[in-house]
Amino acid sequence: MNELTLDFIISSCRGKKIGKGNLFIRNIITDSRQKIDAQTLFIALKGENYDGHKFVDETFNKGAQVAIVSSTEDININMIEDKILILVDDTLVALQEIAKEYRKQFDIPIVAVTGSVGKTTTKEILSTCLTSSFNTHYTEGNFNNDIGLPLTLLKIEDHHEAAVVEMAMRAKGEILRLANIAMPTCAIITNVELVHLETLGTLENIAQAKCEVLEKLSEKNFALINGDNSLLLKVAKDYPCRQYTFGYNHGCDCRIIEVISNENGLIIDVELFQERVKLEFPIPAPKLALNVVAAAGTAFLLGVTIQDIIKQIASYKPAGNRLAISHLPEGGIIINDTYNANPLSMLSALETSLAFKGTKRLVAVLGDMYELGEYEEEGHLSVGMSVVANKVDILITVGQLGTYIAEGAIQAGMDRASVYHFTDKVECLHYMKHNLKKTDVILFKASRGMQLEMLINDWLVK
């Protein structure tokens, strides 16, 4: 983060200063466990299960000089003789307003990536493509919400020449709020799928919510939109920005002609703005072809050469627990895709696993998928049916909803003797330690809240 004055921070969030002195801020945090020094500003956020105001004293003891608060009730006022408090009505709004004003200092391309499925992967592929031509800043991990997006923007510095930010949402108005903070110059909408139905109700409502990002784009700005989704295209046409499409349909500006998958990855034959290109992507997940092409098309529009795009995509390596593939010394393969899950990404992960099967035994360890609303039972049943279509030898399901995955597999013809369901991870781990082999191909996938990656770690140390 570039150095900020207290006056800039106070004026941005319209706060009231308590205490004397002035100093420069080089670091803004919301977690007292993070690195703290004399140039650190702590923002005391309130959540359902936590209140940052209880940690203001701790951050001061660790060396912080300034904190933004909405109350002084939990703060030892006697401690702050040489400290500064900035009092605001709402600390989250303060964080967002500071980030918004800070972002205005940078005249660089800022790409907003949103969509029901694949936005994180698309963001990472695009960031990889852009680094060949731009010093690129991008969202790390899951910093894609009301807190994470502002913190991401606050890490942009003068040497950055482009930024890629991810935008997640659960309800209407959230993407618009994030776009109002980030003020993107272009956007990617990967797709709209049956997720977040608990809060949005219908696929059309999801499409409208995703397209909120387009409201902040001018006629000079552009968006790259999934051209295979007619509902998304219908909603998007009401916005004034330049719009391009990617997908398999003949009318797409970035049209996928053929996708070949093998254990080494994908070969994607694509017509990229009328130029025929072959992209080699090192993960054998055919469903990711759309994400690859969306990233390639955006990079091209931002001025990256075709040659550099080809090179960068071939060098892509997944971050975090997203289709992370580990080869075991004994010959087996672990596919860690525990970052999150919905029916479409489950299918993609199963297809990827099948590409590695060969003569090995294929095991799928699958857990609950959240936020499916009325589609909850049907969505889990459909995943179970996909398990059979992708030739899984042993299915292990975990959690309350996982029982529907097991049921779907049995309905599709899987032998009951090859299906195992566990209500918790402890029981599941006991079975895995006594029955799975390190010569197996094993897929782990569930929604983030299931924390299935813990099973991988515990099983590998047996």
Side-chain angles (χ1 to χ4, degrees), residues 169-180:
M169 53 120 242
R170 298 186 69 252
K172 281 187 175 181
E174 293 183 3
I175 293 290
L176 180 58
R177 183 165 63 246
L178 296 177
N180 190 50

Side-chain angles (χ1 to χ4, degrees), residues 205-220:
N205 286 342
I206 296 171
Q208 290 171 349
K210 296 299 182 185
C211 284
E212 288 173 1
V213 69
L214 305 181
E215 188 168 321
K216 306 308 294 185
L217 299 181
S218 71
E219 294 178 1
K220 296 180 180 180

Side-chain angles (χ1 to χ4, degrees), residues 96-331:
Q96 294 170 347
E97 289 298 323
I98 294 167
K100 179 179 179 179
E101 292 304 310
Y102 181 75
R103 182 264 177 268
K104 291 179 182 178
Q105 299 181 1
F106 301 93
D107 183 18
I108 60 174
I110 294 188
V111 188
V113 182
T114 190
S116 297
V117 181
K119 53 186 174 290
T120 301
T121 301
T122 304
K123 171 207 71 183
E124 291 175 353
I125 300 170
L126 175 58
S127 301
T128 300
C129 290
L130 293 181
T131 53
S132 65
S133 301
F134 304 97
N135 189 319
T136 306
H137 176 64
Y138 58 91
T139 301
E140 296 180 1
N142 61 347
F143 274 38
N144 55 19
N145 58 15
D146 280 334
I147 299 172
L149 177 88
L151 291 173
T152 296
L153 293 172
L154 287 166
K155 291 184 179 179
I156 300 174
E157 296 186 351
D158 285 338
H159 63 272
H160 288 126
E161 300 167 313
V164 185
V165 296
E166 183 180 336
M167 295 184 179
M169 53 120 242
R170 298 186 69 252
K172 281 187 175 181
E174 293 183 3
I175 293 290
L176 180 58
R177 183 165 63 246
L178 296 177
N180 190 50
I181 299 167
M183 293 176 284
T185 60
C186 47
I188 299 173
I189 305 180
T190 60
N191 48 36
V192 289
E193 298 291 343
L194 293 171
V195 296
H196 306 305
L197 286 176
E198 283 183 355
T199 51
L200 289 166
T202 68
L203 199 58
E204 184 168 3
N205 286 342
I206 296 171
Q208 290 171 349
K210 296 299 182 185
C211 284
E212 288 173 1
V213 69
L214 305 181
E215 188 168 321
K216 306 308 294 185
L217 299 181
S218 71
E219 294 178 1
K220 296 180 180 180
N221 301 145
F222 73 85
L224 195 59
I225 299 168
N226 190 319
D228 295 340
N229 192 302
S230 58
L231 178 58
L232 182 55
L233 293 175
K234 178 183 175 183
V235 175
K237 73 177 183 179
D238 293 331
Y239 294 90
C241 62
R242 290 182 290 140
Q243 295 181 19
Y244 304 99
T245 54
F246 68 94
Y248 289 87
N249 284 343
H250 280 278
C252 289
D253 299 294
C254 305
R255 183 172 73 90
I256 299 173
I257 299 165
E258 183 182 26
V259 178
I260 299 172
S261 177
N262 55 50
E263 65 177 16
N264 296 318
L266 302 178
I267 300 173
I268 306 168
D269 187 1
V270 59
E271 195 172 67
L272 205 63
F273 296 101
Q274 300 184 339
E275 184 166 350
R276 194 75 172 262
V277 180
K278 281 201 186 318
L279 302 173
E280 295 185 7
F281 183 66
I283 299 176
K287 292 246 175 339
L288 293 184
L290 286 166
N291 307 104
V292 173
V293 170
T298 303
F300 181 81
L301 288 169
L302 288 172
V304 182
T305 67
I306 293 288
Q307 292 74 21
D308 282 341
I309 291 170
I310 292 171
K311 179 181 176 181
Q312 294 299 104
I313 286 175
S315 68
Y316 172 78
K317 293 180 181 177
N321 299 329
R322 301 179 190 92
L323 281 177
I325 297 164
S326 302
H327 293 263
L328 303 180
E330 296 84 352

